[in-house]
Amino acid sequence: MQLRHVIESQQFTVPLLRELFARTQQMERVVARGGTLDYQSKIVATLFYQPSTRTRFSFEAAAYRLGGRVLSTEQARFFSSDVAGEQLEDTIRIVAGVSDAIVLRHDQEGGARRAALVSSVPVINAGDGQSGQHPTQALLDLYTIHRERRGLEGLSIALIGELDRGRTARSLAYLLSKFERVRIFFVSPPEVQMQPDILRHLDEHGVWYSLESDLSKVLGEVDVVYQTRIRPERLADGNVSRYALDAALLGKLKKDAVILHPLPRTVEIDPAVDADPRARYFEQAKNGLFVRMALLSLVWDGPS
Amino acid sequence: MQLRHVIESQQFTVPLLRELFARTQQMERVVARGGTLDYQSKIVATLFYQPSTRTRFSFEAAAYRLGGRVLSTEQARFFSSDVAGEQLEDTIRIVAGVSDAIVLRHDQEGGARRAALVSSVPVINAGDGQSGQHPTQALLDLYTIHRERRGLEGLSIALIGELDRGRTARSLAYLLSKFERVRIFFVSPPEVQMQPDILRHLDEHGVWYSLESDLSKVLGEVDVVYQTRIRPERLADGNVSRYALDAALLGKLKKDAVILHPLPRTVEIDPAVDADPRARYFEQAKNGLFVRMALLSLVWDGPS
Amino acid sequence: MQLRHVIESQQFTVPLLRELFARTQQMERVVARGGTLDYQSKIVATLFYQPSTRTRFSFEAAAYRLGGRVLSTEQARFFSSDVAGEQLEDTIRIVAGVSDAIVLRHDQEGGARRAALVSSVPVINAGDGQSGQHPTQALLDLYTIHRERRGLEGLSIALIGELDRGRTARSLAYLLSKFERVRIFFVSPPEVQMQPDILRHLDEHGVWYSLESDLSKVLGEVDVVYQTRIRPERLADGNVSRYALDAALLGKLKKDAVILHPLPRTVEIDPAVDADPRARYFEQAKNGLFVRMALLSLVWDGPS
């Protein structure tokens, strides 16, 4: 199965997701052994036009654990050339000449797609624009659910937060729709609920979902709690605490539920929750390393 | 032949240039095979007091392809110490203590020379000041012409743009003057033409040149078109399009001509030109990798 | 002897210091041979919330010389997430998931200790806050004196500068107090002399010291001159030159004395002093590499 560039969640079919998951588990085993892989001659360029230390480190560590090396930018926009009319396309062509893969975080939607059109090496989208794609986050979210629950079919999942602008929640809802008998609860104040395009997509594919505004009502129903950012200024009453998970609410959760968050968090999950064995958000972050190792190896290995 | 520091184009004699070109071709073959070289214990520090992602990546990739490692600064000026009176010389002495070569981009002319005077490891000038030197760019330009045309003797070359302030055009004219029967057309609006010091140097060495202001008249005469930046605010009439290369002008060019540009470009070369086989500016950028590998290996290997 | 995190100078007992010094000397021999060590699978994350190119390069070169790899931030504060309420603790947990050690420079006192409490990998404090700790600087200072003078017992040492705010002088005084018959001269204008907490500590441990304000009077008495920063605006008369070391003062120094400075310097040591064989501040900076290699290997190797 060939994977050339990683631009958006939509390009991942169920067979490709299964291959990715299998390879991700291999990577986890390699790292657990303290091993590296046979990609010593590979150079990954992380070209970040917006800073994101966490995402950048995860990709760079993935390159290192594969045996490769890293060309790094903390903030390419700020530090770019003094030439005003300079084009992303020319930069990509030049960086492709000195690297074996480009991990691009761009500040404009569609940046990754533009880069892929001219790049002689694989491009991996590490986020493009506020409402653009961030496919590796969605893939690591999905992988974490798959790993923690040993499969995705038949799961009930609550997606919580500012869902209208929630890039990760949107992508995850899209990917979940590919699996049988998944049930999704969108838990959000009505003024920032999930947008109609995603709901329409779920309708078309016969996926069960429910729009909710009361978190405590939903918690006992689900296998997965997926928390995301919520800001007071986006809510009519400014009261975000209604959507926060704290120790008191943990009693309502199923014994084998898992609690996830793409991080960084603010008030959405109280630190007292961290000690609960169902809190898996730091493992989720760590899974990003293995998923990114798997993606880099897939784009380099060519058809399998 | 010994090469300790790389500070300015003028230090390169024809025999040293030939050795550099031979070694650069070796490096190109090594990279094509996916190999690395035997410099595993070497650490290159890229100390950039002005940001330049492209140049920095080229040097860092060169260090990696040689087998080495990299200490990197995206913007050393901005992030330097809070100690106001701190001297470049002390920084160089300290960085030399933890590295095997320093690649320096400094914001003041003469910075690289000052660094070389106190450094215990080789210093490579990656640009110092607006009107200072950037010798590795000049060397990769010359190498690209040599490679594309299988030699430099007897070539006719058009250097186009704001030549009075054109660091790369100045250095290239200087290096070209070392080769037999080279003819140089300086194509520029009179108000920003090449400065008298370079013309005097060419006169003294008996190099043929011509000062031109009409690009279309020259294009059919030359083997190499070397485009550089041109900004409206520097021209009396603000009309830079007269000096831009577009698809319509390609018909005037010789069939075996090569089109170069140090990049980044703005309006000087229309993107429609990119598809023409004579457009070699992205190969030129890539050659920077091989030239820099060769230079690092030369300064490390000592006398040969 | 187990060393898990490196947070403050106070955690180093004399036996641990001796083990550190022995290992540091081993590291110096390995580097002199051009060798690397067997830590190929190790990744060091340098997480700097304040820029410090020198300290960062020293740690990163240490990781490389050990055989490892580096995840690097030039300025994590500036480039951190857009999420205002983000916690250091969560960042540490995430970075610990993709690295084998975290070198942290934080802008708040106590940052390193907070990080160590939640990190699953060793944390090394590379400076936290203006008046916080910077233990690896103190350790390399102490190691340099030990190395240059073949032992610490019975030495007389002048600590010179703005001692009230001098993080390095304070830590060094603390560490020196652990060794027999050490004599300390604090040389400083009275208005910025060493603070009572350190003097009390020396009194309690029976360490001889003297408060001085005349540099020339002390120079002939000491085996080690440890210069630190002094700024005109902190002095009643603004005259810092009284505390500067220049060529004229060198005649007063013992023949086998050593001159140290944590660097960067401004006026405290005249460049004319650099050529004197007793000037050892650049060797001192270089020793930082070996001390940091030793510390990383100690935290990774576990109990010995």
Side-chain angles (χ1 to χ4, degrees), chain A residues 155-171:
Chain A
L155 290 180
S156 290
I157 294 157
L159 301 179
I160 309 161
E162 276 177 51
L163 301 179
D164 61 338
R165 297 201 189 158
R167 183 164 65 174
T168 57
R170 288 173 55 82
S171 294

Side-chain angles (χ1 to χ4, degrees), chain A residues 54, chain C residues 47 49 86-96:
Chain A
R54 282 174 305 273
Chain C
L47 198 60
Y49 287 87
E86 190 180 353
Q87 288 297 310
L88 173 65
E89 281 79 0
D90 279 7
T91 299
I92 293 294
R93 287 183 185 103
I94 296 169
V95 174

Side-chain angles (χ1 to χ4, degrees), chain A residues 135-191:
Chain A
T136 63
Q137 177 68 48
L139 293 169
L140 78 89
D141 291 342
L142 196 72
Y143 173 74
T144 302
I145 299 172
H146 166 84
R147 186 186 188 285
E148 294 288 334
R149 298 294 315 217
R150 300 176 188 279
L152 291 153
E153 288 76 10
L155 290 180
S156 290
I157 294 157
L159 301 179
I160 309 161
E162 276 177 51
L163 301 179
D164 61 338
R165 297 201 189 158
R167 183 164 65 174
T168 57
R170 288 173 55 82
S171 294
L172 185 56
Y174 177 87
L175 285 176
L176 286 167
S177 76
K178 295 172 181 282
F179 293 87
E180 300 292 318
R181 291 167 290 114
V182 163
R183 292 162 23 114
I184 308 178
F185 297 83
F186 296 107
V187 185
S188 176
E191 61 270 33

Side-chain angles (χ1 to χ4, degrees), chain C residues 237-271:
Chain C
D237 64 359
N239 177 12
V240 295
S241 64
R242 290 179 291 146
Y243 296 93
L245 197 63
D246 59 21
L249 285 171
L250 286 176
K252 295 184 182 288
L253 266 183
K254 290 187 186 177
K255 291 236 178 304
D256 60 352
V258 297
I259 306 167
L260 303 180
H261 191 300
L263 301 178
R265 65 172 156 182
T266 56
V267 298
E268 304 95 31
I269 300 181
D270 190 273

Side-chain angles (χ1 to χ4, degrees), chain B residues 38-93:
Chain B
D38 210 26
Y39 297 88
Q40 273 85 353
S41 70
K42 297 297 189 189
I43 296 176
V44 174
T46 53
L47 198 59
F48 275 51
Y49 287 87
Q50 286 181 320
S52 175
T53 302
R54 282 173 306 273
T55 301
R56 182 169 62 84
F57 272 18
S58 184
F59 272 110
E60 293 183 358
Y64 286 146
R65 295 292 186 211
L66 288 168
R69 308 189 177 221
V70 169
L71 300 172
S72 184
T73 54
E74 201 159 18
Q75 171 51 302
R77 175 65 66 207
F78 189 67
F79 288 151
S80 190
S81 163
D82 51 345
V83 176
E86 190 180 354
Q87 288 297 310
L88 173 65
E89 280 79 0
D90 279 6
T91 300
I92 293 294
R93 286 184 185 102

Side-chain angles (χ1 to χ4, degrees), chain A:
Chain A
M1 204 161 301
Q2 186 149 16
L3 183 64
R4 174 70 183 161
H5 303 289
V6 177
I7 305 302
E8 56 180 24
S9 319
Q10 290 90 314
Q11 74 188 95
F12 286 83
T13 61
V14 171
L16 183 53
L17 287 169
R18 295 207 185 282
E19 182 170 342
L20 176 67
F21 291 172
R23 199 174 275 232
T24 300
Q25 284 177 309
Q26 282 172 27
M27 295 300 169
E28 190 165 349
R29 283 192 295 268
V30 168
V31 173
R33 280 202 310 268
T36 53
L37 282 139
D38 209 25
Y39 297 88
Q40 274 86 350
S41 70
K42 298 297 190 189
I43 296 176
V44 174
T46 53
L47 198 59
F48 275 51
Y49 287 86
Q50 286 180 323
S52 174
T53 302
R54 282 174 305 273
T55 301
R56 183 169 62 84
F57 272 18
S58 183
F59 273 109
E60 293 182 359
Y64 286 146
R65 295 290 187 214
L66 288 168
R69 305 184 178 227
V70 169
L71 300 172
S72 183
T73 54
E74 201 159 18
Q75 171 51 300
R77 174 66 65 208
F78 189 66
F79 287 150
S80 188
S81 164
D82 52 345
V83 176
E86 191 180 351
Q87 289 296 312
L88 173 65
E89 280 80 0
D90 279 7
T91 299
I92 293 293
R93 286 183 185 104
I94 295 169
V95 174
V98 296
S99 65
D100 300 294
I102 297 174
V103 175
L104 177 69
R105 170 162 293 205
H106 203 250
D107 43 10
Q108 289 164 21
E109 204 174 328
R113 191 180 299 276
R114 284 168 55 202
L117 281 173
V118 300
S119 178
S120 58
V121 301
V123 171
I124 299 183
N125 187 357
D128 56 350
Q130 276 311 314
S131 50
Q133 285 267 345
H134 188 15
T136 63
Q137 177 68 48
L139 293 169
L140 78 89
D141 291 342
L142 196 72
Y143 173 74
T144 302
I145 299 172
H146 166 84
R147 186 186 188 285
E148 294 288 334
R149 298 294 315 217
R150 300 176 188 279
L152 291 153
E153 288 76 10
L155 290 180
S156 290
I157 294 157
L159 301 179
I160 309 161
E162 276 177 51
L163 301 179
D164 61 338
R165 297 201 189 158
R167 183 164 65 174
T168 57
R170 288 173 55 82
S171 294
L172 185 56
Y174 177 87
L175 285 176
L176 286 167
S177 76
K178 295 172 181 282
F179 293 87
E180 300 292 318
R181 291 167 290 114
V182 163
R183 292 162 23 114
I184 308 178
F185 297 83
F186 296 107
V187 185
S188 176
E191 61 270 33
V192 295
Q193 254 293 6
M194 183 56 79
Q195 292 188 35
D197 62 330
I198 293 290
L199 303 182
R200 227 166 17 237
H201 175 85
L202 298 178
D203 285 333
E204 283 164 12
H205 290 76
V207 180
W208 187 97
Y209 67 83
S210 171
L211 301 179
E212 304 282 347
S213 62
D214 184 346
L215 177 60
S216 66
K217 218 185 78 185
V218 170
L219 281 179
E221 302 286 321
V222 296
D223 306 301
V224 179
V225 173
Y226 188 89
Q227 269 283 17
T228 67
R229 181 164 69 156
I230 191 157
R231 293 167 298 180
E233 62 268 31
R234 301 268 347 266
L235 269 54
D237 63 359
N239 178 11
V240 296
S241 65
R242 290 180 290 146
Y243 296 93
L245 197 63
D246 59 20
L249 284 171
L250 286 176
K252 295 184 181 289
L253 266 183
K254 291 187 185 177
K255 290 235 177 305
D256 59 353
V258 296
I259 306 167
L260 303 179
H261 191 299
L263 303 178
R265 66 173 156 181
T266 56
V267 297
E268 304 96 30
I269 300 182
D270 189 276
V273 174
D274 297 359
D276 192 286
R278 292 167 291 188
R280 307 301 287 167
Y281 25 92
F282 294 118
E283 287 75 13
Q284 179 188 3
K286 185 161 187 174
N287 287 336
L289 172 68
F290 310 125
V291 168
R292 287 166 178 133
M293 289 176 73
L295 286 169
L296 282 168
S297 74
L298 279 169
V299 296
W300 282 334
D301 290 355
S304 71

Side-chain angles (χ1 to χ4, degrees), chain C residues 79-156:
Chain C
F79 288 151
S80 189
S81 164
D82 51 346
V83 176
E86 190 180 353
Q87 288 297 310
L88 173 65
E89 281 79 0
D90 279 7
T91 299
I92 293 294
R93 287 183 185 103
I94 296 169
V95 174
V98 296
S99 66
D100 300 295
I102 297 175
V103 175
L104 177 70
R105 171 162 292 206
H106 202 249
D107 43 9
Q108 289 164 22
E109 204 175 327
R113 190 181 300 275
R114 283 168 56 201
L117 281 173
V118 299
S119 178
S120 58
V121 302
V123 171
I124 298 182
N125 188 357
D128 56 350
Q130 275 312 314
S131 50
Q133 285 268 344
H134 187 16
T136 63
Q137 178 69 47
L139 293 169
L140 78 88
D141 291 343
L142 196 72
Y143 173 75
T144 303
I145 299 172
H146 166 83
R147 186 186 188 285
E148 294 287 333
R149 298 294 315 216
R150 300 176 188 279
L152 291 153
E153 287 75 9
L155 290 180
S156 290

